[in-house]
Amino acid sequence: MSGELRAAAVERCASVVGLAQELIRLPSRGGIDDYGPVLGVLEGWLTGRALPHRRLHDDKGRLVGLVVEIAGGRPGPWWALDACVDTAPFGDEAAWSFPPTAGDVVDGWLRGRGAADSKLAASMFCHIAADLRSGAADLQGGLAVLLDVDEHTGGFGGARAYLADPQATRPAGVMIGYPGLEDLVVGGRGLWRAVISVHAPSGHSGSSRTVVSAISRGAHLVHLLDTADLPGVHADTAGFPLPPKLSVTAFHGGQGFSVTSDLCELNVDVRTTPGFDAHDAETLVRKAVAELDAELPTPRPTGITPMASWPPFQLAPHEQPAAAVLNAAAAEGLAVRAKTAGPSNIGNLLAGEGIPATAGFGPAYEGLHGFDERARLSELPQVYAVYHRAVLDLLTAN
């Protein structure tokens, strides 16, 4: 089967690149561009190959993605391939050496915003669905391909709509098509985020009366948070390979020069682990806030508004769908490592729903979220064959 899959992958790759080029040439920056044109290209391609698909909308009726579904002829679990077709912004276009929507191939590299993250993966997954269509009667369960256009906003609206869709079968696992040839991401730290509102009585900056402004109180709170005692990696009894991390990521307060501020707001981002979860993160932040209010009291206590919380996740290499991808990569001669990532990803959202996920295996890349984004095509046939083999293994397992 290995030779047949590789030959099919080589044959498919020209078409995969061609569809990806069409997608790259249509800007679909998260929260900026209209997603209709880029989804229209995908819908036209899917319709031309009689692949069942439908649009996904969020609870406000906004278009957030497409889902393609290939049902097997025998009972079994469903699995999903997921790729985003919205992108990061272009940034400073003057820093690019080629147009962000170039969509061309130069020296073996596919160039343009979305080439790496993740329009090439979206095209590849659509082609794999087409490959499975003719032999679907022999498959167990089914395959869904999720094409999300609300990923780079941080809302993950496509994934949320897919999981909430009563027509969709809940997947047993998801393989996310982020790029990177050397690693398969099988885990990630979770997060707990909050906005902290630090108050103080306002006053004139020239007053002879001593006034401790909200900015000064906020600065003291930043010091308390920066020096808070977090456990190290070896303290995590779950064997998680990364320690928790706390960062103050925004600090806003004050206006002009003559008035001391009465409000300062801080954004706090805590990356969590199995041994230091969201409850621990909130407890630590509330302890620091209590210390601030005790040391520098004001009539109005400091407020904490939690904004988001995702659990950490980590699959063992023998757990599905990680095992299927790693085994398929080994069969293709690729040395791929299982990796737990520091940043969170959509796998954390899925973990909160009890759905295992992998991410971060795809073509080699440069310029991700920066300028001159591009993806190397020399290994594309191997990457294609890996995902094709992994899906077949999952859909034919006894």
Side-chain angles (χ1 to χ4, degrees), residues 156-363:
F156 299 130
R160 295 181 190 275
Y162 168 55
L163 296 177
D165 187 350
Q167 299 181 58
T169 302
R170 195 173 186 84
V174 178
M175 291 157 279
I176 304 164
Y178 294 140
L181 192 64
E182 296 180 348
D183 300 312
L184 176 69
V185 175
V186 297
R189 287 188 290 201
L191 60 81
W192 181 84
R193 289 173 174 166
V195 175
I196 302 180
S197 301
V198 179
H199 304 280
S202 62
H204 197 291
S205 60
S207 173
S208 59
R209 182 172 61 90
T210 299
V211 176
V212 179
S213 72
I215 289 176
S216 296
R217 297 185 78 239
H220 186 61
L221 178 59
V222 171
H223 172 72
L224 293 174
L225 292 170
D226 282 346
T227 56
D229 187 21
L230 291 168
V233 64
H234 299 298
D236 200 316
T237 56
F240 202 75
L242 295 170
K245 182 181 180 183
L246 185 152
S247 302
V248 177
T249 57
F251 188 100
H252 305 286
Q255 186 175 8
F257 293 91
S258 61
V259 178
T260 58
S261 63
D262 59 0
L263 174 64
C264 178
E265 291 187 326
L266 287 66
N267 289 0
V268 177
D269 177 282
V270 185
R271 300 297 164 137
T272 61
T273 70
F276 188 85
D277 61 13
H279 177 268
D280 298 318
E282 183 169 358
T283 299
L284 182 147
V285 170
R286 290 192 180 279
K287 180 181 177 182
V289 164
E291 187 173 344
L292 168 72
D293 287 348
E295 292 182 7
L296 299 173
T298 62
R300 188 174 179 183
T302 301
I304 300 174
T305 305
M307 301 300 292
S309 179
W310 286 354
F313 77 102
Q314 186 179 31
L315 298 182
H318 66 273
E319 294 180 286
Q320 298 292 16
V325 179
L326 291 170
N327 291 340
E332 287 299 318
L334 294 173
V336 178
R337 300 170 303 216
K339 175 184 177 181
T340 298
S344 302
N345 60 60
I346 199 170
N348 297 86
L349 171 68
L350 294 166
E353 297 284 338
I355 299 172
T358 64
F361 173 70

Side-chain angles (χ1 to χ4, degrees), residues 142-164:
L143 174 72
V145 175
L146 172 63
L147 305 166
D148 194 338
V149 290
D150 190 38
E151 197 267 3
H152 283 84
T153 63
F156 299 130
R160 295 181 190 275
Y162 168 55
L163 296 177

